Amino acid sequence: AEPKTSFKIGWSIYAGWMPWPYAEQAGIVKKWADKYGIEIQIVQVNDYVESVTQYAAGQLDGVTVANMDALTIPAAQGHDTTAIIVGDYSNGNDGVLLKGSDQLSAIKGRQVNLVELSVSHYLLARALEKEGLALTDVRTVNTADADIASAFTSPQVTAAVAWNPQLTTMMQQPDAHLVFSSKDIPGEILDLLVVDTKAVEANPNLGKALAGIWYETLALMEQQNEAGAKARAAMAELAGTTPAMFDSQLATTFLYVDPKAAVEATRSPTLIENMTRVRDFSFAQGLFGQGASSADAIGMAFPGGKTLGDTNNITLRFDDSFMQMAADGAL
Amino acid sequence: MTALLSFKDVWVEYGDKIVLERINLTIEEGAFVSVIGPSGAGKSSLLRLALGQEAPTRGTILLDDIPLAPECGPDRGVVFQHYSVFPHLTALGNVMFGLECAQSPLLAKLTGAARRQAREEAAAMLEEVGLKEAMHSYPAQMSGGMQQRLAIAQALIKRPRILLLDEPFGALDPGIRNDMHQLITRLWTDYKLTVIMVTHDIGEAFKLGTRVLTLDKWRHDPHAPHRYGAKVVYDIPLERNKQESLSQDDATQPLSIVPDDAGITIDRFDNN
Amino acid sequence: MTALLSFKDVWVEYGDKIVLERINLTIEEGAFVSVIGPSGAGKSSLLRLALGQEAPTRGTILLDDIPLAPECGPDRGVVFQHYSVFPHLTALGNVMFGLECAQSPLLAKLTGAARRQAREEAAAMLEEVGLKEAMHSYPAQMSGGMQQRLAIAQALIKRPRILLLDEPFGALDPGIRNDMHQLITRLWTDYKLTVIMVTHDIGEAFKLGTRVLTLDKWRHDPHAPHRYGAKVVYDIPLERNKQESLSQDDATQPLSIVPDDAGITIDRFDNN
Amino acid sequence: MRWVNRHVSRSRSAMMGAIPIVLLVVLYLVIAAERHAANPSDKILPLPGAMVEAMWGLLFVPDQLSGRLLFWADTLASLQRLFLGLGISTLSALLVGLLLGLLPPVRATFGTLVTGIAVIPPIALLPILFIAFGLGETAKVALIVIGIAPFMIRDIAGHVAALPREQILKAQTLGASTWQLMIRVALPQVLPRLIEAVRLSLGPAWVFLISAEAIAADIGLGYRIFLVRRYLAMDVILPYVAWIALLAAVLDMILVWTNRKAFPWAHGGRR
Amino acid sequence: MRWVNRHVSRSRSAMMGAIPIVLLVVLYLVIAAERHAANPSDKILPLPGAMVEAMWGLLFVPDQLSGRLLFWADTLASLQRLFLGLGISTLSALLVGLLLGLLPPVRATFGTLVTGIAVIPPIALLPILFIAFGLGETAKVALIVIGIAPFMIRDIAGHVAALPREQILKAQTLGASTWQLMIRVALPQVLPRLIEAVRLSLGPAWVFLISAEAIAADIGLGYRIFLVRRYLAMDVILPYVAWIALLAAVLDMILVWTNRKAFPWAHGGRR
Ligand SMILES: Nc1ncnc2c1ncn2[C@@H]1O[C@H](COP(=O)(O)OP(=O)(O)OP(=O)(O)O)[C@@H](O)[C@H]1O
Ligand SMILES: Nc1ncnc2c1ncn2[C@@H]1O[C@H](COP(=O)(O)OP(=O)(O)OP(=O)(O)O)[C@@H](O)[C@H]1O
Ligand SMILES: [Mg+2]
Ligand SMILES: [Mg+2]
């Protein structure tokens, strides 16, 4: 059969993913897609969770997602997923906020609003761990990500975990203190572009085109000149915010602008270390689903043939080959 | 003449209240039956049975010797006591409705020549009931008597085999009422209809009917008022009015012998 | 006697259709005015004006020499042509309603002795109209005539100063109708009510009224049927029935001189 | 016999009503089985076995953290919110609806406002709701009330305004004041319609309840659904939705039954 | 004069209707000013100046990339979805409602199903909905339809079933078949109520539209509201909500007007 040539890539609003819609509107997507003889549609899904579940359900061929969610949503469901771009890690884009205290320890016994079972939940667990507390020491209240900013204005809410752009908004509250952030656990919260393994195996041009788009756009937006500023301003507008706000969000996002750095991060053993931590937390929270009997239930593969967990059930793969091509200028 | 409609040991009960009791009645084709009786006796109930609107609690009703389905159809026309017409149609639309249903099974709307003809026919009928000038009025814009006449026109235009009238002329002044008498008698003779008419006007009952039925409670127990239902207590044939004798004659001649009501309304109160 | 209600150059129009035209009328306290006229003449419209349900297009209506507010109150009682009663109340509840409103401003519900008394009064009134046994029935369980009697009982129990009746006895058989005549005449004399009654029964109009009004179009233009409205074409005082003369007398005596309707209903058709 | 006249007895009616539902269930099973034949780990249309398994824990195994049986705790929490919201809405619909429907000046003054509130999607104004009502139970009940009360008010007001003019006039001739008219004529006649309005609002009420629970909650049927939604755990979502539908259907039946029993006059017609 | 009888002329009515709205606006301004006095950077209740500023760009400055005026593009997209959803719902309500209301066997068979669908909160089914209809326009329109059509169907069916029995009988004696009864007696009489039902559904329709746009969209009024909500940009949200309310109110007025003009018989009573 003819390999599939038309693909849908979903994205949702997050500082580290804004290059995608910009590339689409600036014609970069079309340029690369044409080059590789395929069609790529960049689809915005307003709700982050929905974008990932839609990918898991097969409605999208690729999606922008955090490492933990890639593992617990599509991969845990047996949807064989390949991360072809490691775009950035959160370097302060996620944080724990408290009202009335700048000490993390004050969180004990409080009610914490956050998007449950998300990276926020993970961040909270890591924060509590560092403080010698357990998740049972707080009461979590599931709060939708679009509403968490306004929820935090309510006097009833005294602790919350959120990511950007909401986090920036919430920090502007007079009484809010950032007591823990992803800066404290660098590299653990990764923002990826994942695609359906079968799709990219059947048509590697997809991977090539996406890598081409990504690094061209990153290079453009990193320019410290008028063109770069214009690109960033456009992204800010797409994200519904101002250029200044957007820049401040970028500052807490560690973008792997250089493909070489991305390749390096993907190959480094810390990735395996971090993924182990993520998966142990996920398993403890029951995120692998009812069928999973151990943290090893879901297998992961890394560059260089390294694996983690059940090798017979590998559903999440980190593939550095396309980033490598970008680094080599071979696209 | 043959039996068109027959009631065989028919009872109507609401809960433990007996309304009609052991009604045995045969109505011949072409008869004009006037039904009189005190308020609440069950006259309207009897008409509802004949219409097929309600099924009797016990007993059977035969139409052409076939048990009557609890369903009404175009063979029976009706004017209800609370004359109801279609509020969303003008007078003309109300009268044309029957014609349209018959001639246009799919849309019940006529066009072109057929429409013009139906319109003319309906307009003629409206003129006969004195509503020519209110042709384009909606029922809500009409007086009580006008709505009643509209209901009559609507039923008459179909020339149904059996016409069931529940106090059809109650809201009309004597002049118009007289015209209606002429109209109904003419249609009855011309189309050999069978008419059952409930009325409170005993003069009217005797003037128009070939037979006058009186419904009333046959016994009254003051301690258990609902125990006994109404029966046909008088059944007076009036040869004089029969269609044959009328055919050469003028149907609207005033009747000289209108019985006094005293003899007919037996126990006026406590009939409910 | 003094003028209770006066119409001064009153017109009623619906759009460009003139219904009532230049009505000038003075109704004295204690009068019993019968209103007759062809269907669609505007009799109900006249009552609606007196009730305050509608305001005249032109002209003024005075009650006790004060312009009538377009609002009806407990001084005026009414029985509508399409007799309407409260569907959610039993017969008893319907009749008691007026008493409850008067005696219990807050809840319109009575308790204890007051309730028992109101109940008795209402039951007595129901018995007078022959609904004793249907006391606990809802209107939907009553026949047409029973609902009409209920509406009468409901209006009468309040003994309103002015009683407006629109064909109140239309759905009743002659026996019950006669009882109603007695009842209304008794209440009228006992409580010195003023009654305006629309009827189609000319005998009834002359039997009960102290004055008979005939409403009709005064001119008819076949090319512009709506151009002319109805006026009072006859206004016949009947000294004989006046309250003074009745006080010792029996009000229900049959009248010997009932005029033929031919002279009164002038142009029967095309009144609409 | 013409279809309009084909009366269906109550027992047959129940049977016939079950047919399309059974058919839908069968259709689901067939499609689910097919999908599972193609992909045994399909999560979108789970087979009954998976649902039973997933629900078992929620139904009968106490939660580790709280020690509660989650399913029942969810149900209880949601029903409590629902009934509170419905109750407040019904009362205010009755009150405001009567005033609005009966009194032209009140209608003129507040009709536009009620329409305005009715058409403003409350979920768009959540931030303001959070400020006004906080994030606890009040906010959830408030969302239900704001979501359905304006609709119910308008429905009741419309019904009151449509009462036959003759009745209003007649009541006045019988000496009824505006207040008496309201409580003795309009109120009792509007009660059957109020129950009808509650029935019609049940669906929207659940919608707002679930939206509220999706936004911020730690228990409730809607909370659970939105929590497991991210894993596309249809084996939990579908039984939960079915359970909601069942609860709502039972409520609906109770309301229909109440209407028939409580207001004989509205149903004792000639039919 | 008793309050029931105080008729209010149309022009006065418009004036009186404006009063509470003006009062609310004033109340808002006072509270907002107070909050700003306490905290000049308060974002939750922005002052009019901030709103004008925030809206200016959306209203009049073309978007850099797409060249569209975002506000108008949002409005257009949302209205398109709304009208499609309303249209489909109205048509199906008319069709199914007539059948359900008029034919007892159909009611027996499908009544339960419609009730069932009506009480299932479509929000709970969102994941399935997006899977079934994709992330495009279809899913959004479908959510509106699933959200409001069952309600409208039940309302219309109830209204048809409540037509006076006498009319149905009379039509049959005049020779009307079931079909003719449906199109000539029930259909025209139910049309005014259908418009009423559309009016009552406008609010819920907006709710569903906004919910759909909140989850998967890249344009639309709801999308914009949820997009900027991350920044607590009430200076955009409030004007958007006001705009939605205005659009809905205008629609409502058009419907009322249509009802009066198109069905004179339903309003030409004695009143
Ligand atoms: N809303 C309206 N619009 C237009 N015309 C109307 C309206 N209401 C009443 N009419 C007309 O006013 C005239 C008088 O009506 P009214 O009900 O007063 O007659 P009536 O004398 O009581 O007749 P009936 O004896 O038949 O009851 C009628 O011709 C009627 O068509
Ligand atoms: N749904 C019902 N439930 C209980 N009783 C009823 C019901 N319908 C009618 N009845 C009773 O049946 C009796 C006969 O009613 P019907 O309408 O046939 O009387 P009628 O002879 O037509 O009286 P009228 O001359 O007053 O119209 C009445 O006493 C009435 O109370
Ligand atoms: Mg009768
Ligand atoms: Mg009249």
Side-chain angles (χ1 to χ4, degrees), chain A residues 149-317:
Chain A
S150 42
F152 197 63
T153 62
S154 164
Q156 289 174 2
V157 176
T158 58
V161 188
W163 59 78
N164 264 328
Q166 291 91 321
L167 186 67
T168 318
T169 314
M170 290 156 75
M171 279 193 310
Q172 288 166 355
Q173 283 256 110
D175 200 21
H177 303 278
L178 184 69
V179 292
F180 190 85
S181 81
S182 49
K183 231 190 194 107
D184 302 317
I185 49 166
E188 290 187 30
I189 298 176
L190 294 171
D191 299 310
L192 315 171
L193 176 75
V194 302
V195 293
D196 189 7
T197 305
K198 279 193 228 88
V200 77
E201 273 174 4
N203 195 347
N205 282 342
L206 172 63
K208 291 180 195 165
L210 287 171
I213 295 162
W214 180 251
Y215 289 108
E216 178 180 339
T217 314
L218 282 200
L220 176 64
M221 73 182 280
E222 280 302 305
Q223 289 174 18
Q224 294 308 317
N225 56 20
E226 202 183 317
K230 219 177 136 200
R232 289 197 300 278
M235 290 182 202
E237 191 173 334
L238 281 165
T241 187
T242 57
M245 273 266 265
F246 186 66
D247 281 344
S248 85
Q249 289 170 25
L250 279 183
T252 51
T253 311
F254 189 92
L255 273 174
Y256 294 112
V257 181
D258 183 357
K260 288 196 194 76
V263 170
E264 207 168 291
T266 315
R267 289 193 178 151
S268 100
T270 38
L271 176 62
I272 302 180
E273 212 173 282
N274 285 335
M275 286 314 290
T276 310
R277 217 179 260 130
V278 167
R279 113 193 144 150
D280 288 348
F281 167 79
S282 304
F283 175 74
Q285 293 297 311
L287 301 188
F288 287 177
Q290 235 84 39
S293 50
S294 82
D296 284 328
I298 292 161
M300 287 178 266
F302 299 91
K306 283 172 268 184
T307 63
L308 195 58
D310 187 350
T311 46
N312 292 320
N313 184 31
I314 290 182
T315 49
L316 182 60
R317 303 161 199 274

Side-chain angles (χ1 to χ4, degrees), chain B residues 14 17 19 38-45 48 81 167 200 272, chain C residues 140-146 171, chain D residues 268-270:
Chain B
Y14 292 107
K17 176 171 177 183
V19 172
S39 169
K43 305 179 292 300
S44 299
S45 302
R48 282 199 291 273
Q81 183 170 13
E167 302 184 33
H200 281 310
N272 326 302
Chain C
Q141 302 172 323
M142 294 186 178
S143 78
M146 288 160 76
Chain D
R270 284 274 153 73

